[in-house]
Amino acid sequence: MDFTFTHRRSLKRLYFEYTIVFLFIAACIFGTYWLTGHTFILSKDALNQHLPLMAKYREAVLHFLHHPGQFSYWSWQMGLGTDTFQVYSYYAIGDVFSYLALLFPAAKMTLAYQVISIIRLYCVGLAFTYFGQHFRFSNNVILAGAVTYMVNAFLLYACVAQPFFTTPFILFPLIIVQIERILQGGSAWPLTGAFTWMLISNYYFAFVLGIGAVLYLVLRVLTHYRTTLNYLTTLAKLAFATFSSILVSAVMLVPELIAVMNSTRTGSEFANGLKVYPLYYYLFLPKQLINGGQWYFMYWTALGIVSIGFLALVYLYSRPKRYPLLSITFILALVMLLIPAVGAFFNGMMSASNRWTLLLYLPLSIAVCILLQNAPQLTHHDLWTLNWATGGYLVVLIATYYFDNNDDMFMPVIFLLLSLMALWMIKLHQPAHPDQWLLAIIILNAGFNAIYSAFPYKGDFTKNMLSRGEYQAIVANRYGGLDQGLTGKPFYRVSTVSQNQIINSNPTPDDLGPNLDNDLTSGLNSIDSYYSLQNKYLGTFNTALQNNQYQANIPIRQADDRSVMNNFFGVKYLFVQSNGKNATKIPAGYFMDKATPPVINYDVGQPSPRTVQKGKEPLVPTQTIRYKSKQAFPLMYWQGDYISHHRYQKLSPTAKERALAAGVVVNGSTKGMHPAKLNNQVSTIKSVLVSNRLNKVDPHHLKYTDSDEKYQLQFPELEKKRVADRYKQTELHIEFAKIKYTPFSMKEQIKYDQQHLQEMALNPGSVINQRFNHYKYWRYHVLNGSPDISFKLNYTSKFGTASVIQAKQNVLSLFKKVTNATLNIGYYKNGLPTSLTFQPSKLGTYELNYKVVAEKLDSHYDKQVAAIQRHQLTNLRFSRNQFSGQITTSRPGVLTSSIPYSTGWQVRVNGHPGRTIRTNQAFLGVWLPRGQHHVTFTYQTPGLATGAKVSLFGLLWLALAVGITIIYKKRANNAK
C-alpha cells in the first residue's frame, strides 16, 4: 500500500467519470423515494432536528449578515429555553453544507435540505476519489472504490436520517492523505487545514476521527516507516498541525466542551451496563458485512458494503505480509466489534454505539481496490481459496437465513457469486479491460442495495420517510390549527399530552408516524425538546421529581401530565387529539377552550348501528382540542418563603413537586425569608396487590411466571365513602422507591413458556409437541435478545394505560437505567378509583418498593398559585439575549423562575451587578431585598468569549508561521 504524491495524468477525466457514476448511484438512492412519492426526510431526527434547525440557522445567519454583531445566544422556543450557540454548534455552525441553504428562499427549505443531502453524498465519493488518486490504481479501480465507499449501509441510512454524518466520511480520507504527506516529509499546512475543519465541524466527529487518525498514524509507522522515519521532524510537524488547529478552533471547542460537561449526558451508565452483546449480535455479525441495503444496525454495527468486499478480505488475508496495515486493521476492528466497552469508549464513555465503524469503510474500500487492481494476476490457487471461503460463508448465511427467516441477503448473495464468477472469467478468458467488468458489477450491486433500502416493504426506509408535501402539512397543522391567533404574549408555554400524537401519518401498531418533540415552527414556546445536549440541571430537577418521561436527550416531554409540573413550567395551553392515547388524562385546572370541527370515523371506535338508531349512544367525533389553564406560573416570580436543600431532600418526589407552589429551594442566603409551610397536601393510600388467581401478592418478591396472570392494585380504604370524599380533587401517583427486575435465564423462560402452553391445553386429546415448542421459544428469545433487562410495568385506569418502561440496552442514546420512578395515573376531580389493573410485560422476578400517594389540588393550591401570580415580574420586556422587568417586594426574598440555570446568565438589579443563583435545583433566580426593583438578565454563551480570544491568538500564530515559512523558502531558493 504505497502512497504517491506525484502528479497524476488525466485527473479531470477521473473526476468527470466519477460524476457520471454518481448520477447513476444517486438515481438509485434518491430516485426510489421520488418514484414512490416520498421525500428524503426521515420522520424522526430529520423532522425534529436537522431540517427545522437548518431553516432556523439560515434565518439567524441572514439576520447576522444584515445586522453585523447581532446574534441571539438564547432561544425561548427550544424547550424551556436554551443556548442557541450550543445547539447550532452541534448541528449547523461547523457544517459547511448548511450554508448552502442561504442559496434557497425561505419557502424552499425542504427542497434545499434534499438537494444538500445529495451534494453531501457526492462529496463523500469525491473525497475517496481524491484519496484513491494517490495510489497507482487505474481510474476504473478508483471509481469502484468510490462506489464501495459511498454506498454502504451506514450512509444509506445517514444521508437521509442524519445527513451531517456524511461529514466524517469526507474528512477521514483527507486526514489520512495529509498525515501520509507529513510521513513522507511533506508540508504540515494541509493537515492543519484538515484538522481545523474536523474540530470545527462537530466535537463528536472530531473525537472519533481524532482517535482514527492516531490509530492510523501508529499502525502506519509500525508497519511501514518504523526504520526510515525522521521522528523529530515528523513529530514537530504533527504537533504544529494539532496545536495550530486547536487554537484556531477554540471559538467552537471551548463552548462545546463546556456544554458537554454541563449536559445531561454526563454520568450516564457506561456501555448501558453491557459486558457482552446479546447472542443474536454475534450470530448475525457475519452477514452484516455484505448486507448493504438493510436498515438493521445492531448497536450501529452497520458495515454492509458491496458483496465483492468479502472476496477482497479473503484475498487480503491470503497474503497478509504484503498488506500488513490492512491486515492488522481488520483483525483489530473485529476484536473491537465484539466488545461493548469499545463502542462506549468511542461514544464518549456512554452507550455502546458502534458508530465508530464509519472509520472502517475507507480500508474496506481500499481492499476492494487492491483486489480489482490485482484481478488479472490471480492464480488458480487464489481463485480456489476464494471458492472455498465463499462456500463456507454461504453455509453461515444459509444457517442465518433458516434461523432468522429473512430474505434480505438474497441480492447480496447473487452479487457475491456473480463477482466470484467474474474473477474466474477474467482468469480463464483474459478480457481486454477486466476492471471495467468488475466496476460494472460493483455499480449494479451498489444500485440494487440502494434501491432495496428505499423500496417499500423491503429495506423499509420508505415507510419512515415523509411523503411529498407532508412536512409543510405538519408545520401548518402542528396543533391542528388551534395555535392560530396565539401570540405567546404575555409569556407562556404550551404542551401536549403524553403519547398523544396530533400528527400521525399512519396509525398502525408498527408505524406510529412522525414523532414530534421539538416545535421550531409554530412560534409558540413548547416545553418539549429533543437535542443531543440538554442542560444538566434539568436532568437533576426531573430526576429528583422522578419525571417518568425523563430521558437525557428529551428531559421533560409532557412532564408525565403532572398538574403542578405543567403549571410550574408555565403551560397555559394543552393540545390534545381526541382519538389518541391519554386523550382524557388532562391535568387539573385545564378546561376546554377551543376545538376543531368534529369528524366521524364510521369504521373505528363507534357504537353499534342499532344503539345509534335508538338514540342510546351518540357517534364519537374525532377532534383536536385546545385546553386552557388559568393556573400557569409566571416566567419569573418572587417567593418570600424558602425550602432548605436538606429539608427538600427528605421529601418524596410528589411532595417535592407540590412544594413548588409553597416556596423556593435555595442553597444560599435566606436572610429575611421565612421557612415554607409544607402542609400535608400529599397523602399515602394503603394498597394491596391481588392476582386474578385470587391470591394476594407481595410486590417486594413478585415472581411472574405466567404471561396471562393479571393483577389488581386495590385501595380498600376508598370503598368507604367518608374516606373517598377526602380524596376528591387529587392526582394519583405511584412512587417507586425501588424497581429491580431480574429476568429468568433462557432455560427458565422456556420452561415457564412451555408450562403455560401445557396449562392452556384444556381440550381432550390435546398433545403438546415439546421438542418443537422448545425450539420455537428458544428462537424467539434469541432473536429478541433475551434474557435482557427491559420491561414495562403497566397500570390501567379509566384514562388508559400508564407505564414505567425500562428500555433495552440497544436503545443507545435514549437509554436510561430505571431503578425508581413516579407514575402519574391521572387527576380525579370527583374521587379516586378503588383499584387499578396491573400487569408486567415480561416474565421474571420483580422487586417493587412503592407507595400510592394522592396529591391534593384543591382551594389551598389555588390560593398558592394566585399568590405566585400576584408576585410576578411585571412589564416583561424581551430583547436579543436579554429580558427585564419590574417588581416591588414587601420583604427580602428570591426572584425565581422556570428558566434553566446557566453560568451564562448575568443580572443587574436597579443598574447594579447582582449574583444569579440556582433555584429549585435547576432554574435561574436572584435574591432581592425589600423595595422596588428593576431587574435585567443578560445571556452570553459560556466560554465563547474565551474561545474567541484563543482563536484570535491562533490566527495570529498562523500568520506568524506563514511569514516564517515564506522567509525560509525565499532564503532556501536564494541559496540555490
Side-chain angles (χ1 to χ4, degrees), residues 703-958:
K703 190 173 183 179
Y704 188 52
T705 61
D706 185 349
S707 58
D708 279 345
E709 184 175 12
K710 294 182 176 63
Y711 306 91
Q712 268 200 345
L713 185 63
Q714 297 179 349
F715 315 122
E717 287 184 317
L718 297 181
E719 294 179 359
K720 302 174 183 177
K721 188 176 185 303
R722 61 181 179 80
V723 176
D725 287 344
R726 295 206 306 263
Y727 291 106
K728 291 182 178 181
Q729 295 180 290
T730 56
E731 191 168 271
L732 187 64
H733 292 179
I734 304 175
E735 295 182 341
F736 293 89
K738 182 179 182 180
I739 301 174
K740 184 179 180 181
Y741 168 66
T742 305
F744 292 135
S745 66
M746 183 76 78
K747 183 178 179 181
E748 288 176 312
Q749 290 198 61
I750 294 172
K751 181 187 77 171
Y752 288 122
D753 286 333
Q754 289 191 306
Q755 180 178 308
H756 173 71
L757 194 64
Q758 189 71 50
E759 291 172 351
M760 294 298 101
L762 303 178
N763 292 348
S766 298
V767 176
I768 304 298
N769 187 335
Q770 297 290 354
R771 180 175 295 181
F772 168 73
N773 283 294
H774 185 280
Y775 170 76
K776 181 181 73 172
Y777 290 126
W778 177 77
R779 176 181 177 273
Y780 169 83
H781 288 301
V782 169
L783 291 176
N784 284 275
S786 303
D788 72 291
I789 67 171
S790 66
F791 63 83
K792 288 185 181 180
L793 304 177
N794 300 311
Y795 290 83
T796 303
S797 69
K798 70 175 185 177
F799 299 119
T801 300
S803 304
V804 176
I805 301 174
Q806 171 63 70
K808 287 190 173 186
Q809 288 157 301
N810 64 356
V811 169
L812 303 182
S813 295
L814 298 180
F815 175 85
K816 69 172 181 178
K817 184 69 178 293
V818 177
T819 58
N820 53 45
T822 292
L823 190 62
N824 175 27
I825 302 301
Y827 172 71
Y828 292 84
K829 184 177 181 179
N830 298 316
L832 296 176
T834 57
S835 67
L836 301 172
T837 301
F838 165 61
Q839 187 172 27
S841 65
K842 292 177 65 176
L843 303 184
T845 302
Y846 294 84
E847 185 179 346
L848 306 177
N849 182 8
Y850 62 83
K851 61 180 180 180
V852 180
V853 300
E855 182 180 21
K856 197 74 172 173
L857 300 173
D858 55 4
S859 58
H860 178 69
Y861 175 71
D862 296 341
K863 291 177 182 177
Q864 289 178 318
V865 173
I868 287 172
Q869 292 174 339
R870 286 196 304 272
H871 296 147
Q872 66 180 298
L873 190 66
T874 60
N875 297 324
L876 268 178
R877 299 179 185 272
F878 294 89
S879 57
R880 185 173 52 88
N881 305 318
Q882 189 179 92
F883 71 96
S884 62
Q886 296 174 341
I887 191 168
T888 300
T889 59
S890 58
R891 56 188 173 90
V894 169
L895 188 64
T896 184
S897 72
S898 57
I899 303 169
Y901 177 81
S902 167
T903 57
W905 284 109
Q906 294 182 344
V907 63
R908 297 184 73 86
V909 181
N910 296 326
H912 302 289
R915 185 175 67 88
T916 60
I917 58 174
R918 183 157 54 94
T919 63
N920 293 320
Q921 293 189 298
F923 303 100
L924 180 65
V926 62
W927 184 86
L928 296 176
R930 175 183 176 182
Q932 294 182 343
H933 309 288
H934 183 273
V935 186
T936 302
F937 288 91
T938 305
Y939 186 80
Q940 169 72 44
T941 298
L944 182 61
T946 301
K949 293 175 183 176
V950 175
S951 289
L952 179 60
F953 174 77
L955 291 173
L956 295 174
W957 157 258
L958 285 183

Side-chain angles (χ1 to χ4, degrees), residues 73-148:
Y73 299 110
W74 186 264
S75 170
W76 299 102
Q77 293 182 24
M78 296 180 180
L80 297 185
T82 195
D83 186 310
T84 56
F85 186 89
Q86 291 174 354
V87 173
Y88 289 144
S89 66
Y90 186 84
Y91 293 96
I93 295 178
D95 179 15
V96 296
F97 295 97
S98 66
Y99 296 92
L100 295 177
L102 296 171
L103 303 177
F104 294 80
K108 297 294 183 181
M109 282 300 98
T110 54
L111 175 64
Y113 177 86
Q114 294 173 90
V115 170
I116 292 171
S117 295
I118 298 173
I119 294 173
R120 290 176 190 272
L121 196 61
Y122 176 79
C123 291
V124 170
L126 198 66
F128 183 89
T129 305
Y130 167 77
F131 175 81
Q133 77 181 41
H134 292 86
F135 297 88
R136 293 182 176 87
F137 293 146
S138 68
N139 282 11
N140 287 332
V141 169
I142 295 174
L143 294 175
V147 172
T148 302

Side-chain angles (χ1 to χ4, degrees), residues 353-366:
S353 177
N354 286 323
R355 287 188 285 199
W356 64 268
T357 51
L358 63 88
L359 301 172
L360 288 179
Y361 292 105
L362 188 60
L364 283 170
S365 301
I366 285 296

